[in-house]
Amino acid sequence: MKKKLLSAGLLLSLVSSTALAGSAGAPVASQVLASTPTALAAALREAGYKVTVEPVSADSDPTLTVTAGDYEVSLWLSNCKANVCGRATASVSWDYSDDEDSLDLELTNDWNSNYYTQAYIYEGAYYLDSTLFIGGGYTKAALKAWMTEYLDDVSDFEMELP
């Protein structure tokens, strides 16, 4: 057990040293970044998305709105302490409140058995969510890949809707 912990500690120190060595210039895609709302917004903008940081109230976690083509993604940050967050959850919804009879639980159940994104129905709308754990930091490459995969699922899910 101690060997594993020592090896993990050595690996972390090497990764930290490498990240610090590269910190003189702009962060590279593989550099671990702090999970702050500002850093996440900057990384998403750099990836080509329009990002709005929503005002934060005292009793809520930070929220970003990410515009990607025709989609407006709500990005909720949670488990935040001292402006550093542990999780990002992306969500897109489709309003069916005018036609709630067409909401189909079988569609959401089939989706959930085949995809990692989570589909559900809530208050007359379909939702599709995905969560990225960012506690301890994230890389720009991982954030960009997660958002790309999520948006692919959003497009696929939308094609399945009635």
Side-chain angles (χ1 to χ4, degrees):
M1 182 73 162
K2 282 187 175 183
K3 286 183 181 180
K4 288 180 183 177
L5 290 175
L6 181 60
S7 297
L10 180 59
L11 180 61
L12 282 174
S13 69
L14 289 173
V15 169
S16 298
S17 298
T18 303
L20 290 174
S23 65
V28 294
S30 61
Q31 182 177 356
V32 177
L33 302 172
S35 302
T36 66
T38 303
L40 285 160
L44 288 166
R45 285 186 189 110
E46 188 177 308
Y49 302 106
K50 179 183 174 202
V51 181
T52 304
V53 179
E54 303 299 333
V56 179
S57 63
D59 61 342
S60 67
D61 287 324
T63 303
L64 309 175
T65 300
V66 179
T67 304
D70 293 335
Y71 299 113
E72 187 171 281
V73 179
S74 296
L75 189 67
W76 292 292
L77 305 177
S78 56
N79 298 339
C80 301
K81 293 180 182 155
N83 204 37
V84 176
C85 302
R87 180 172 47 196
T89 301
S91 184
V92 171
S93 65
W94 294 265
D95 185 6
Y96 276 70
S97 59
D98 292 338
D99 187 20
E100 289 191 32
D101 290 338
S102 68
L103 294 170
D104 184 0
L105 282 175
E106 187 174 334
L107 168 74
T108 59
N109 289 330
D110 286 346
W111 181 271
N112 291 336
S113 66
N114 293 302
Y115 292 86
Y116 288 108
T117 48
Q118 179 188 11
Y120 58 97
I121 296 171
Y122 179 70
E123 293 186 353
Y126 285 104
Y127 287 83
L128 190 68
D129 291 2
S130 180
T131 297
L132 177 67
F133 295 96
I134 54 176
Y138 66 96
T139 64
K140 288 181 182 180
L143 181 66
K144 183 178 179 182
W146 171 67
M147 186 58 70
T148 299
E149 290 295 321
Y150 172 66
L151 291 169
D152 286 347
D153 279 2
V154 167
S155 178
D156 291 347
F157 184 72
E158 185 174 51
M159 291 185 343
E160 299 288 329
L161 294 176

